[in-house]
Each structure stands twice: as C-alpha cells, then as structure tokens.
Amino acid sequence: MKTLRFDPLNIIICGIGGQGNVLASEIVASTMNELGYRVAVGETYGASQRGGSVMSHVRVSETEDLGVLIPSGEAHIIIGFEPLETLRMARHYAGPDTMIVYDPRPVYPLGVLQGNQSYPPIEDIIKELEECSSEAHTVAASDIAVEAGDSKAANIALLGAFSRLTGSPLNTEELSKVLTQRFQGDVLKINQKAFEAGCAAIDEKGGNAS
C-alpha cells in the first residue's frame, strides 16, 4: 500500500452521462478499499441519460472516516472525460496542488449542435486547465479506445493514464490486476489494450510515476 501524497487525498472523476464515469470511480474506490484505505464516494448527476454532467468525488485516507464531498479548491487529482466538464470542475475544485488528466475531445451538447449555444475553443480550455493546476495532461482516450476496438473503453484508457501520474495513489499493476477481475475474453483484451495505451500516453509526456 502506497503512502498517500495527501491525507485525505481527493479525486474528482467527471464527464457526461454514458462515458463510463461511474464505472471508473467505482473501480478506483473499490480498489483503494481493498488495499486497506478508508474511502468515501459521493456522486452527482445531471440529466445523465441525456448527456448531462456526471461527477464523482472519491476521498481516500489511511486513518480518517471522511465526508463524501470534496471542499472547494481541495481536489488533488481530476480525471476528466470531456474537456469543458473538466474545466467546470477545475474552476471550482482545483488548487495549486491539483493534477489533471483528461480527454481533450469535445462532446457537444444539443444546443451547440443546433447552433443555439457556443462551445469555447479547445485551445482556450487547455490553456486555462494548465493555468489552474500544477499539471494538466491531455490523453486522447476516445481515439485510444477506438483503436483498441471499443469506443466505450475510453474510461479505462484514462485510468491507465491516472495510474502513471506521480501523485496517483494506485500504481499500474494494481489497476491492471482489477481489469482481469472485472472483465473476460475479448472485452478484457480490449480494455487491457486501452489501459496500456493510456499508460504510454503519460510516459511519453515524462509524467510517469516510476
């Protein structure tokens, strides 16, 4: 069991409905719990079935029983499945010690597709995320998932990237082991491929935890 970089360690996993956010948070929380940490999980949902916001708070401690909600400005890691949702969370929860790993591929809401709303330039989102955190890593998780064989595996690609962050409480071996327990057959192979590619994306940036 790793010593936590911060105690409590606060993790936010965010995106929109249907991207696998809840599964990702459940994997992180249950793995931490099995390793002996005390874990609290809180989730908030927008109109998730229509592509609304979904956010999970995962709080981890070696000794404390924690409340489920992360205080403003006190997230240590943000895992984002959609860039604008990541920015919304970062504006409220990021602080000087926050690390962010996210997929920069936009998922446009209906209002944008209909021309009634605008979506910020992705370059502006990337710049602001870099400015409001200690580290911000883009990982093309959606593209990785498609290349692995299933677009639904983007969440697993981001978990691979998360495992390679210097401040991650879980290492690559621990999360990789969980995949073999959760999935079987071709689904396991696809998720393993996506996970490994997510790891490689961080390693190539020089942000790995080894």
Side-chain angles (χ1 to χ4, degrees):
M1 190 169 82
K2 293 173 67 175
T3 298
L4 297 177
R5 187 178 177 212
F6 300 96
D7 193 341
L9 182 76
N10 298 321
I11 303 168
I12 285 178
I13 301 174
C14 62
I16 62 174
Q19 290 188 299
N21 321 47
V22 175
L23 175 61
S25 64
E26 195 275 327
I27 287 174
V28 170
S30 61
T31 304
M32 298 294 298
N33 185 257
E34 289 170 7
L35 290 171
Y37 296 99
R38 299 188 183 189
V39 183
V41 180
E43 293 173 341
T44 61
Y45 302 87
S48 58
Q49 293 179 344
R50 300 194 297 274
S53 300
V54 179
M55 174 178 60
S56 298
H57 297 235
V58 181
R59 309 193 71 201
V60 184
S61 176
E62 294 182 13
T63 58
E64 297 181 53
D65 292 321
L66 304 165
V68 296
L69 297 181
I70 296 170
S72 176
E74 294 188 19
H76 300 115
I77 299 174
I78 297 175
I79 304 172
F81 290 73
E82 201 282 333
L84 186 55
E85 287 301 318
T86 305
L87 180 58
R88 287 173 177 162
M89 296 305 105
R91 283 173 172 170
H92 186 71
Y93 293 102
D97 297 314
T98 305
M99 294 182 175
I100 301 174
V101 59
Y102 67 103
D103 189 339
R105 181 180 177 180
V107 178
Y108 298 112
L110 184 59
V112 173
L113 296 174
Q114 292 176 334
N116 300 322
Q117 299 173 330
S118 61
Y119 192 100
I122 190 62
E123 296 82 5
D124 293 350
I125 294 176
I126 290 173
K127 181 179 179 182
E128 187 172 344
L129 286 171
E130 290 174 346
E131 290 173 347
C132 71
S133 62
S134 63
E135 295 180 22
H137 300 278
T138 59
V139 174
S142 297
D143 294 338
I144 287 172
V146 170
E147 292 173 6
D150 187 347
S151 61
K152 295 179 181 179
N155 58 346
I156 304 301
L158 278 172
L159 287 183
F162 161 72
S163 77
R164 303 301 289 166
L165 295 180
T166 303
S168 176
L170 294 171
N171 62 40
T172 301
E173 181 180 354
E174 289 163 343
L175 277 173
S176 181
K177 181 181 178 181
V178 172
L179 299 185
T180 64
Q181 298 170 342
R182 299 280 178 137
F183 306 106
Q184 297 179 346
D186 290 340
V187 175
L188 173 60
K189 292 177 182 178
I190 289 170
N191 282 321
Q192 286 177 324
K193 186 175 180 180
F195 183 84
E196 291 167 3
C199 293
I202 295 297
D203 292 347
E204 290 168 3
K205 296 172 184 288
N208 69 74
S210 60

